[in-house]
Amino acid sequence: MKKTLSLLLAAVMLLTLAMPAFAANTKTETLFEQISSKQEVAVTLQAGNGGTDSVYIKGNKFAYDYKLAFLTARIVLVDNTLYGYLPILPFFYVKIDNAGLANMDLWQLIKVATGITTAVLNHVKDETVTEDGVTYYVEEFNDRATVTSRFYYVGDTLKKLVVHDSSNGSTQVTNFESISLTVPDSVFAVPGGFDLSPFLAGLFTGGMSALLNA
């Protein structure tokens, strides 16, 4: 899976799948239970270039924002149509009709795309660590094989996830700017005004391709 899509799907997957076999009363268990019951979440991740990636899911609605400095670009999926626009200029937009995602079960798609089962994580231990002057409460889980996942909390807020695979020595660090269990419907609003698709559809399609292949 391509790097950018993998990062976003991994973040959403780790916050939305049905409950694994956690030990009772862990912070991670509580977070999973809340999101699983509501099927609503907004996750903002730190991007490497100083920007942020945000994923919004509410039921089967989906939106994605990329923000750099004062500029935000948004992609919204509504009724099998992808819309791309700038929230500060919602009167101009481009779209892709028949995006091939009709009747999509977004939550099932996340599970299939990541290949994760609901019983993948096994609670190992909890500890307190201090890094760069910040004290974290860390809950550690494994997959009963080669992958170790460490969830870093400040209070009850998940701030970082570190996933290490001993089979290949890889480590993936995801830093969370914010996690919200409430998503306003306005995030999924269809833009209105001037459809620039006849002029910019190629650019939009190319941008989507670059995003998924980055």
Side-chain angles (χ1 to χ4, degrees):
M1 188 177 293
K2 301 301 183 180
K3 180 179 179 182
T4 303
L5 186 58
S6 295
L7 176 63
L8 297 176
L9 284 176
V12 176
M13 173 275 297
L14 288 164
L15 295 176
T16 58
L17 290 184
M19 272 300 300
F22 289 122
N25 301 320
T26 65
K27 294 179 183 292
T28 306
E29 175 186 27
T30 299
L31 181 60
F32 272 60
E33 284 181 334
Q34 289 174 334
I35 299 174
S36 180
S37 63
K38 292 189 64 176
Q39 291 207 343
E40 181 176 353
V41 66
V43 181
T44 297
L45 311 173
Q46 295 177 8
N49 58 1
T52 59
D53 295 301
S54 297
V55 175
Y56 308 92
I57 300 177
K58 187 172 186 177
N60 219 33
K61 299 177 182 178
F62 173 83
Y64 163 75
D65 281 353
Y66 174 72
K67 183 177 181 180
L68 184 62
F70 66 90
L71 187 64
T72 299
R74 176 169 295 168
I75 295 170
V76 178
L77 174 64
V78 178
D79 296 330
N80 200 29
T81 298
L82 283 172
Y83 296 86
Y85 67 102
L86 304 179
I88 63 171
L89 292 171
F91 306 107
F92 301 94
Y93 66 93
V94 293
K95 67 178 181 177
I96 298 176
D97 293 310
N98 300 315
L101 299 172
N103 302 316
M104 177 187 67
D105 184 335
L106 184 59
W107 303 83
Q108 182 61 31
L109 175 63
I110 292 170
K111 294 181 183 181
V112 172
T114 55
I116 301 298
T117 65
T118 57
V120 70
L121 297 181
N122 174 57
H123 183 241
V124 176
K125 65 179 181 179
D126 305 323
E127 62 180 337
T128 300
V129 301
T130 300
E131 297 181 1
D132 299 323
V134 179
T135 299
Y136 299 96
Y137 179 80
V138 181
E139 295 181 347
E140 182 174 314
F141 302 82
N142 63 34
D143 67 343
R144 300 178 176 83
T146 64
V147 178
T148 298
S149 301
R150 288 171 59 84
F151 296 77
Y152 288 67
Y153 290 86
V154 173
D156 293 324
T157 302
L158 180 63
K159 303 299 292 185
K160 182 168 63 173
L161 170 64
V162 179
V163 179
H164 177 71
D165 188 343
S166 61
S167 67
N168 56 24
S170 66
T171 299
Q172 177 176 299
V173 179
T174 302
N175 293 296
F176 295 89
E177 285 274 326
S178 65
I179 299 171
S180 175
L181 301 180
T182 302
V183 184
D185 288 329
S186 59
V187 171
F188 309 102
V190 175
F194 298 96
D195 182 0
L196 301 181
S197 300
F199 311 101
L200 299 177
L203 180 61
F204 181 39
T205 303
M208 284 290 294
S209 177
L211 170 67
L212 298 179
N213 289 279

